Amino acid sequence: MSAVLHPHDHAQGHDDHSHDHHGSPEGWRRWVFATNHKDIGTLYLLFSFTMLMIGGILALLIRAELFQPGLQLVNPELFNQFTTMHGIIMVFGAIMPAFVGFANWMIPLQIGAADMAFARMNNFSFWLMIPAATMLAGSFFMPGGAPAAGWTLYAPLTLQMGPSMDAGIFALHILGASSIMGSINIIVTILNMRAPGMTLMKMPMFAWTWLITAYLLIAVMPVLAGAITMTLTDRHFGTSFFNPAGGGDPVMYQHIFWFFGHPEVYIMILPAFGIISQVVPAFSRKRLFGYASMVYATSSIAILSFIVWAHHMFTTGMPVTGQLFFMYATMLIAVPTAVKIFNWIATMWRGSMTFETPMLFAIGFIFVFTMGGFTGLILAMAPIDIQLQDTYYVVAHFHYVLVAGSLFAMFSGAYYWLPKWTGVMYNEGRGKVHFWWSLISFNITFFPMHFLGLAGMPRRYADYPMQFADFNALASVGAFFFGFAQVYFFLFVVLPCMRGQGEKAAQKPWEAAEGLEWEVPSPAPFHTFENPPKLDATATRVIG
């Protein structure tokens, strides 16, 4: 965004190396052929916000249908298409690309690199997402409508879907290729392009969490690709991987999918942990408590994520020994997660805290993510999960972790770095309105779903009996308020910043913020760190 406004700025003390001197394109060519990490980061963030809006519209259509019992707006088939596409678009189109956008923007700035390692591959990995997203959104207009098998794409439903299923599989392949290329780029950038003096254990936590996330992505995206390719060959080439009539097993699909799916959940939350670990120390005016333990906890979560997948499958006829193993392994993940939450609270403890919008979202994240973690701990217990499986309790749990987790952390990071991106301060009053509006409406939407699930309301149903009516009406009203809060955020917080409306941001708008990104002017110049910065012993300040 900064680069939109000030393409000709250059970093302090550098020659006149603004991109126009290299004969770089202007106007639309600048964005289509973008190889600058800041431009590509901006493209990712704008793309993911667009997908958030599309996924949000589908969510509001779902909630509008569920506002009262009976079928109001859509038939059950279309309702299932909405639930399926809402999940796929939010996970693969909104949350993951947004974090890649943050990584593109911030990692080179945080480690003192001139750019990402593979600039053209960076461009390619972004532009792959456009046809994939178009295919996903366009699948509603194909014969038989969009895929309606749930975002997990379980067989045997996927073997019975229309042609849109093939489009969905193709789109996921393309998005997966994009993720893998982005991950390779991030790993090589972090391992090879850090400023002299910045050892791994002196890196900002955001860079650490993304390094671990990138390894997770490379490990599990091919697993998803395998599962959906087997689905494709079952559909068209006479194989019987998941078709019992030919000796296949639909439960095998679940094993393969969740071997991808559980690390995927951590792919969507580890970068959020990184952002919170940057924001909390800045507004507590203290160094992060227990930096090394944060790094080890993040690594532990990543490693444990590979041995817990079947806790999604307690009702598939698993032997009791299997249930016990996955139950205990899942509960073990609570330990490193609790370490992180303890560290954030210890960082705030006796700090001289102020509550600007980034800090509000960070504390909101810790509060609501902890609630989501506790409901996850409850679902980890096999006998309880067998009762709650596929009910609204599960929906409540993962929205507490992903909406109040990933999304709130992104808002925290966006408010924290917007001054560096755009060169102007966002409106603090509007930011606080956005925070309280989001926090309250989020809880009005998803907290009642715990009670619906405990009472036995199954998810992905377009209709329900009368006794669930009140909580559903409440959730639907909350959902519309929550959706409009995000429109408000874009129109009244982000757009004015992108246009340069507002007071000019200082080079370091947050007095206690640490990191190399605060050593370049605001907005960040088009080219930064053409000569690597020399760091002091703490690796947070430039010498000289």
Side-chain angles (χ1 to χ4, degrees), residues 310-394:
H311 67 209
H312 297 270
M313 301 169 54
F314 282 146
T315 54
T316 55
M318 191 188 303
V320 172
T321 43
Q323 291 188 350
L324 284 173
F325 169 80
F326 286 107
M327 180 166 99
Y328 291 134
T330 304
M331 294 173 81
L332 194 59
I333 284 196
V335 178
T337 312
V339 167
K340 301 174 94 62
I341 288 168
F342 172 81
N343 285 8
W344 292 322
I345 293 170
T347 306
M348 291 189 272
W349 174 250
R350 306 190 77 171
S352 48
M353 289 165 68
T354 51
F355 298 99
E356 288 88 346
T357 312
M359 187 61 162
L360 286 177
F361 269 107
I363 294 171
F365 164 90
I366 294 169
F367 167 64
V368 196
F369 177 79
T370 305
M371 287 170 60
F374 275 127
T375 55
L377 212 49
I378 290 166
L379 290 168
M381 294 179 217
I384 301 179
D385 182 76
I386 287 166
Q387 296 296 315
L388 295 176
Q389 202 259 347
D390 254 340
T391 67
Y392 266 79
Y393 193 89
V394 179

Side-chain angles (χ1 to χ4, degrees), residues 176-191:
S178 165
S179 289
I180 290 171
M181 285 194 284
S183 301
I184 293 169
N185 219 338
I186 286 165
I187 290 171
V188 176
T189 304
I190 291 175
L191 294 185

Side-chain angles (χ1 to χ4, degrees), residues 20-32:
D20 49 325
H21 289 246
H22 298 295
S24 287
E26 286 289 338
W28 62 268
R29 283 187 181 82
R30 170 180 168 186
W31 298 100
V32 173

Side-chain angles (χ1 to χ4, degrees), residues 156-162 235:
L157 283 172
T158 42
L159 309 181
Q160 303 159 8
M161 293 283 136
R235 285 169 56 81

